[in-house]
Structure formats: structure tokens, C-alpha cells
Amino acid sequence: LLWLFFIFVANLSRWVIGIPFAWQEWRQRKRNEKALAKVEAGVLALVAGDFSQAEKLTYQAGSESSRSGALSYLAAARAAAFQGNELKRDEYLLKGKQEGDNPAAVALTHAELLEQAGDVEEATSVLALGFEEHPKNTNILKRYYDLLAQQQRWAQVVPLLAVLKKHHLLTQTQR
């Protein structure tokens, strides 16, 4: 009978000790669900053209949950760029880069937003660095090539041609 009491006490203490962990997991799951709902609402606001609301929601989602961090910050950067707020755009891009989920996506988004703002030189620099860090990323490679060709920087284009050809990224006329 004494051993039944010890088993009961052991199970009871394990259950009592487990409550904080279960509570913490439940809270984290709820926090992630709330952040995901904000990301969805923010992206829809971005697509609908409500850039202020999109920035607000996506930034909040990024700061509330690490699961959607990079995506949230990239959307917030895009919303800030549409509003002409370059400081906020750069702040969100930095936060997206710090999340570390997908540095290639951050580089591509950064370059695209710089190009839209008219800063083609800086966009080219971002893509050059992105290409150095991610030489197998064909989206970065193609975008980098396009910007170099647009600026007629042929000395920098020539070394890329072999890599572009290897990845089948050249059209018949470009070959």
C-alpha cells in the first residue's frame, strides 16, 4: 500500500511540475497563431494598397513571433517603401536579415525596393553582395545580370555569362 502512495505522489508531482511547461507551450502556440493572423491581414492590406495598415500589422507580427519574422519584416519593408519611408524600409530589411530565415529573399527584396526608389547603383551593389553570398541562387544571378546589362557595365557582365549559360538563364538572342 505504501508503494501505491509513492507512485501516486510521484505522478502527482510530475503532473504539477508539467503544468508550467504545458501552459508555456499553449501560450507560445496562441502567440504564433495571433502573429500568423496579423501576417495574413497585413499582406492582404499590402495587396489592397492600405500600406499604413500593412506596415503596422506585419511589423507587429514580426516582433511577436519568430516563426514569421523574416516574412513579416519583408512585407513591412515593402509597405514602408510604398509610403516613401526609406528609414523604416531599411530598418525592417535589417530586422529581416537578422532573422536569418532566408538571406537571399532579403537581398532580392532590398534590391527591388532600391531599384523602385531609383537607386539602381545601390541595388546593383546589394545584388553583387547577394551573388557572392549565394552564387547558386539563380534569381539573384539573373537580377544582377539584368541590372548590369541595363547600366551597360559589360566588363562585369562578361564573367557572368558562363554562369548564366550553365543555369540556362540566357535567351537565344543573348547567347
Side-chain angles (χ1 to χ4, degrees):
L1 189 61
L2 188 60
W3 63 275
L4 282 175
F5 176 73
F6 284 124
I7 291 174
F8 173 75
V9 169
N11 284 334
L12 180 65
S13 63
R14 193 171 17 171
W15 179 77
V16 168
I17 291 171
I19 287 176
F21 296 115
W23 174 257
Q24 189 176 19
E25 286 176 11
W26 178 82
R27 285 187 53 206
Q28 184 62 41
R29 191 172 54 251
K30 287 296 182 187
R31 194 176 302 123
N32 286 338
E33 288 172 5
K34 186 178 175 184
L36 184 58
K38 285 185 179 181
V39 170
E40 291 172 356
V43 170
L44 286 173
L46 183 64
V47 171
D50 187 356
F51 303 123
S52 176
Q53 184 70 0
E55 180 184 354
K56 176 184 165 191
L57 289 170
T58 54
Y59 174 73
Q60 286 175 351
S63 60
E64 290 174 6
S65 171
S66 62
R67 272 185 65 192
S68 61
L71 173 65
S72 300
Y73 289 129
L74 292 179
R78 195 171 293 279
F82 277 118
Q83 296 175 85
N85 192 337
E86 293 178 5
L87 290 174
K88 286 284 190 184
R89 175 199 70 194
D90 293 342
E91 176 188 334
Y92 298 144
L93 286 167
L94 181 61
K95 287 180 186 250
K97 189 173 186 175
Q98 289 169 346
E99 289 292 320
D101 291 347
N102 193 334
V106 174
L108 282 165
T109 302
H110 191 184
E112 180 185 339
L113 295 176
L114 286 168
E115 187 180 2
Q116 287 174 356
D119 197 351
V120 178
E121 284 289 324
E122 186 66 25
T124 306
S125 306
V126 168
L127 289 171
L129 182 61
F131 179 62
E132 284 180 25
E133 293 173 356
H134 311 284
K136 294 182 180 178
N137 187 305
T138 56
N139 291 325
I140 290 177
L141 172 62
K142 181 71 171 131
R143 196 67 208 116
Y144 182 43
Y145 164 78
D146 289 342
L147 282 183
L148 288 173
Q150 176 186 332
Q151 297 171 61
Q152 299 181 354
R153 292 165 66 177
W154 306 120
Q156 291 174 288
V157 168
V158 171
L160 294 177
L161 292 175
V163 182
L164 288 160
K165 189 173 183 181
K166 175 184 168 188
H167 292 290
H168 307 288
L169 296 174
L170 293 175
T171 63
Q172 289 294 345
T173 57
Q174 291 172 326
R175 291 181 190 170

